[in-house]
Amino acid sequence: MSAIRLRLGVIGIEHLHLFEMVDGLLNVGAETVCHAAGDGPLTAMYEGWRPESERRPVDAVLADPSLDLVVLAGVPSERAGMALAALAAGRHVLSAKPAVTTLDDLDALDIVGAGPARWWVFFSERLCNRAVNEAIRLVHAGAIGEVVAVTGAAPHTLAADSRPEWFFDPSRSGGILTDLITHQADQMTALVGHFTPAVMSATVENVATPHHPEFQDLGRVSLRTEIDGRVILSDHHVDWLSPAGLGTWGDVRLVITGTTGTIEVRSNIDVAGESGAEHLILVDADSARRVDCSGVVIDWAERLRTDIELGTDTFVSHVHTVDACRAAIRAQRAAEAFRDR
Amino acid sequence: MSAIRLRLGVIGIEHLHLFEMVDGLLNVGAETVCHAAGDGPLTAMYEGWRPESERRPVDAVLADPSLDLVVLAGVPSERAGMALAALAAGRHVLSAKPAVTTLDDLDALDIVGAGPARWWVFFSERLCNRAVNEAIRLVHAGAIGEVVAVTGAAPHTLAADSRPEWFFDPSRSGGILTDLITHQADQMTALVGHFTPAVMSATVENVATPHHPEFQDLGRVSLRTEIDGRVILSDHHVDWLSPAGLGTWGDVRLVITGTTGTIEVRSNIDVAGESGAEHLILVDADSARRVDCSGVVIDWAERLRTDIELGTDTFVSHVHTVDACRAAIRAQRAAEAFRDR
């Protein structure tokens, strides 16, 4: 089978995730055909990196029927509107997260994003992490029995000076839960299937960023999921407080408690432990051991290309995408309602 | 200063924590004077270990004015009543946790347990753990700025065959949150001072123990504490699901997020990592490093003896004890209310 060369149009060059998405697609033979300029300094960086990409007005990108995929990484609050416009123009869309910041927009994307033009979200903390993928595979293989509880933590580095203005404005960024819990909601969806949790509690706070009083630098949510009468409790912590001494952007963890064992993923770093990233520790009835994940194949770009070429559904399903985005936005809304009550 | 030899009376020999408490006190010169027999097999074990201790009816233990301290480890639901009787008889009390399982009993103990006869609780997961002590000291020394979030996890080994009947009956054990969250509530109190959190959500479940349908083998609670206008979010997980392959009774963790750094305690084991127990990992602006806690002195028994001898308050304050017990019981009540609604 000779795979197609995906022709990419890029809109919204406001976040570094854009480069991660395009790079992955270039690795499976994509071409960067055209792009619309963003407001921030990343456009120049992109144009330096992809000089062959033609700068065009947004409408001219959307209207190009030769494009196989439009890649979005604009200001979060504008991504859904842009995705809807692209889908209406018949373009497939791959969006950075948070791909949508309101439930209204999500409802619209839910309806139109299933096809024929399709809407995908790039859940990088799973799609690009071997240990997270292996954890999900092990759970589905029954390595720890039934999942009963999950604890996720995703501290992030603020690097305030490098952030654009919209980053500090929850009405444009979507807020910390909409933005960062999305990854954990995606992982939960991958673990449990159809993911429609009840929000038991949710909080957003500004604890250490006084110069941006509206900014949310800490967020937590407790979710309760029932699947066929079984309960899965999950607690999710996110923050913009990673200490500089950590040596990477965040000590991201995923702890899964099953009825017969536990899995802990240390996604980026095993702090003061083993070197490298993508650590997985499995404990079951027999032993406690590290599982080598270096052989796990990161093939999201190949799967996405296949889905575009063949109309298959191997990358991330539409229901999965909607579930994950909805859980994150509902957590954000619950936290805001609690704060404002 | 020649310290007194504490004369101990023991009532309720229903849990191994009794042996831990007595052993610690023996190490600072206590004498085991007398005991009242319990219902289970541990009484014979105790009598084999302390043959000099005289078996007496409960009333005869309580009525002995020569005793400096009555040590309690009966069935949890009976501990508060026994403590109140001992205090009424003028005896100081050291109780295993959960020392009290209802808010009514706690109110009574709050009133009478401050003195002259005093009521103490043995919070072993802090008092006997060098890394937990060092974490609290580092936080108070400002090593991670202001505490903004805490995540605690205390999985325990069920070992169902070794458990007495009352263990599986929440009306007698107090329920999983009353029982096990007590330790984390104690640690929170040590971290923040006066600890009167709001319970944001709480859950108790039976996920893997079908032969004891009333038993709670999984519990979680999310708490929100405000101290001088600052918010501290804390999530606490407990379970009776530790896999046999772990090699110890539970992979107990305490993760503290501060405004300028983080501390992680691995209390009992660094799974598939460094050997031994009492691990502390500190990340701040400068670096990520392990902190050697081997030099921390475990002196709870000495402090308790001093308090009994001199009337000082160096072991655990009454307000601290009441705060920790109240937070745990309120979590349990909230979980039951949620379940039964």
Side-chain angles (χ1 to χ4, degrees):
Chain A
M1 179 181 106
S2 79
I4 59 169
R5 271 178 82 78
L6 287 182
R7 291 173 53 83
L8 306 184
V10 162
I11 298 177
I13 310 180
E14 306 293 353
H15 196 285
L16 290 172
H17 280 310
L18 186 273
F19 294 80
E20 201 177 354
M21 291 186 286
V22 170
D23 192 49
L25 293 165
L26 289 171
N27 287 337
V28 295
E31 302 172 70
T32 45
V33 176
C34 59
H35 65 279
D39 293 329
L42 296 182
T43 296
M45 185 171 150
Y46 184 78
E47 291 178 341
W49 180 47
R50 310 305 313 162
E52 75 284 7
S53 179
E54 185 183 304
R55 187 198 279 211
R56 297 183 190 166
V58 168
D59 288 350
V61 175
L62 295 183
D64 183 344
S66 83
L67 297 179
D68 297 299
L69 184 67
V70 169
V71 184
L72 299 181
V75 174
S77 60
E78 298 167 10
R79 287 174 192 166
M82 196 57 69
L84 288 164
L87 294 165
R91 304 283 88 74
H92 294 311
V93 171
L94 175 66
S95 174
K97 68 82 223 174
V100 48
T101 61
T102 71
L103 292 170
D104 278 352
D105 279 348
L106 181 60
D107 284 340
L109 286 161
D110 186 8
I111 293 164
V112 306
R118 292 158 83 184
W119 175 65
W120 289 288
V121 177
F122 184 61
F123 297 113
S124 53
E125 290 185 19
R126 173 174 62 90
L127 294 169
C128 302
N129 193 288
R130 288 169 183 80
V132 171
N133 275 279
E134 181 64 7
I136 293 162
R137 192 192 69 76
L138 284 168
V139 166
H140 289 164
I144 59 170
E146 302 285 354
V147 174
V148 296
V150 174
T151 303
H156 283 63
T157 298
L158 181 57
D161 294 346
S162 74
R163 301 288 180 178
E165 223 168 276
W166 61 258
F167 175 84
F168 296 101
D169 177 357
S171 74
R172 303 186 75 201
S173 74
I176 190 170
L177 298 182
T178 296
D179 183 11
L180 299 185
I181 289 289
T182 307
H183 289 298
Q184 293 177 53
D186 162 63
Q187 291 164 15
M188 289 299 297
T189 309
L191 281 170
V192 309
H194 193 25
F195 183 56
T196 56
V199 179
M200 296 187 67
S201 64
T203 309
V204 291
E205 293 286 340
N206 180 322
V207 296
T209 318
H211 294 311
H212 299 279
E214 298 302 313
F215 180 63
Q216 299 159 0
D217 57 14
L218 173 66
R220 286 205 170 192
V221 59
S222 292
L223 302 175
R224 178 190 179 88
T225 306
E226 299 202 20
I227 306 275
D228 300 332
R230 291 190 309 105
V231 171
I232 300 170
L233 305 176
S234 65
D235 291 338
H236 306 281
H237 167 111
V238 289
D239 71 45
W240 291 102
L241 304 170
S242 275
L246 181 66
T248 183
W249 60 266
D251 177 9
V252 174
R253 306 277 185 103
L254 176 65
V255 176
I256 310 168
T257 300
T259 48
T260 64
T262 61
I263 286 174
E264 176 173 359
V265 172
R266 300 176 187 161
S267 290
N268 303 328
I269 187 170
D270 179 15
V271 188
E274 309 251 313
S275 62
E278 301 175 318
H279 304 271
L280 193 160
I281 296 169
L282 172 66
V283 186
D284 59 17
D286 299 325
S287 70
R289 57 200 185 271
R290 289 180 184 253
V291 174
D292 179 5
C293 303
S294 60
V296 174
V297 177
I298 297 297
D299 61 355
W300 67 265
E302 214 161 287
R303 287 186 282 128
L304 178 57
R305 185 190 57 189
T306 304
D307 287 355
I308 291 171
E309 184 173 3
L310 305 179
T312 51
D313 200 11
T314 64
F315 173 54
V316 181
S317 80
H318 184 64
V319 173
H320 177 128
T321 301
V322 172
D323 275 359
C325 295
R326 180 165 283 135
I329 300 172
R330 290 186 68 235
Q332 181 75 32
R333 290 295 164 273
E336 290 166 358
F338 177 85
R339 184 193 59 195
D340 301 336
R341 77 181 177 184
Chain B
M1 179 181 106
S2 78
I4 58 167
R5 270 178 85 75
L6 289 182
R7 291 172 55 82
L8 306 183
V10 162
I11 298 177
I13 311 179
E14 306 293 353
H15 196 286
L16 290 172
H17 280 310
L18 187 273
F19 295 80
E20 201 176 354
M21 292 188 284
V22 170
D23 192 49
L25 294 164
L26 290 172
N27 286 338
V28 295
E31 300 171 71
T32 44
V33 175
C34 58
H35 65 279
D39 292 330
L42 296 181
T43 296
M45 185 172 152
Y46 184 77
E47 292 178 342
W49 181 47
R50 310 307 312 162
E52 75 285 6
S53 180
E54 186 182 302
R55 187 197 281 208
R56 296 183 191 167
V58 168
D59 288 351
V61 175
L62 295 182
D64 184 344
S66 82
L67 297 179
D68 296 299
L69 184 67
V70 169
V71 184
L72 299 181
V75 174
S77 61
E78 298 167 10
R79 287 176 192 164
M82 196 58 69
L84 288 164
L87 295 165
R91 303 284 88 76
H92 294 311
V93 170
L94 176 65
S95 175
K97 68 84 221 171
V100 48
T101 61
T102 72
L103 292 170
D104 278 352
D105 279 347
L106 181 61
D107 284 341
L109 286 161
D110 187 7
I111 292 165
V112 305
R118 294 158 82 185
W119 174 66
W120 289 290
V121 177
F122 184 61
F123 297 113
S124 52
E125 289 184 20
R126 174 174 59 90
L127 294 169
C128 302
N129 194 289
R130 288 168 183 80
V132 171
N133 275 279
E134 181 64 6
I136 293 163
R137 192 192 70 75
L138 284 167
V139 166
H140 290 164
I144 59 170
E146 302 284 355
V147 174
V148 296
V150 175
T151 303
H156 283 63
T157 299
L158 180 57
D161 294 345
S162 74
R163 302 287 180 178
E165 225 168 273
W166 61 257
F167 176 85
F168 296 101
D169 177 357
S171 73
R172 304 186 74 199
S173 75
I176 190 170
L177 299 181
T178 297
D179 182 11
L180 299 184
I181 289 290
T182 308
H183 288 297
Q184 293 178 51
D186 162 63
Q187 291 163 15
M188 289 299 297
T189 309
L191 281 170
V192 309
H194 194 27
F195 182 55
T196 56
V199 179
M200 297 185 67
S201 63
T203 308
V204 292
E205 292 287 341
N206 180 323
V207 296
T209 318
H211 294 311
H212 299 279
E214 299 302 313
F215 181 63
Q216 299 159 0
D217 56 15
L218 174 66
R220 288 205 168 191
V221 58
S222 293
L223 303 175
R224 179 189 177 89
T225 307
E226 298 203 21
I227 305 276
D228 301 334
R230 291 190 308 105
V231 171
I232 301 170
L233 305 176
S234 63
D235 290 338
H236 307 281
H237 166 111
V238 288
D239 72 43
W240 290 102
L241 303 170
S242 275
L246 182 65
T248 183
W249 60 266
D251 177 9
V252 174
R253 306 279 186 102
L254 176 65
V255 177
I256 310 169
T257 300
T259 48
T260 66
T262 60
I263 286 174
E264 177 175 358
V265 173
R266 299 176 188 162
S267 289
N268 303 328
I269 188 170
D270 180 14
V271 188
E274 309 250 313
S275 62
E278 301 175 319
H279 304 271
L280 193 159
I281 296 170
L282 172 66
V283 186
D284 59 18
D286 299 325
S287 69
R289 57 201 185 271
R290 288 179 186 252
V291 175
D292 179 4
C293 302
S294 60
V296 174
V297 176
I298 297 298
D299 61 355
W300 66 266
E302 214 162 287
R303 287 187 282 125
L304 178 57
R305 184 188 59 189
T306 303
D307 287 356
I308 291 171
E309 184 173 2
L310 305 178
T312 51
D313 201 12
T314 63
F315 173 55
V316 181
S317 80
H318 184 64
V319 172
H320 177 127
T321 301
V322 172
D323 276 359
C325 293
R326 181 164 282 132
I329 299 173
R330 289 185 70 235
Q332 181 75 32
R333 290 295 165 274
E336 290 166 359
F338 178 84
R339 183 195 59 194
D340 300 336
R341 78 183 177 184

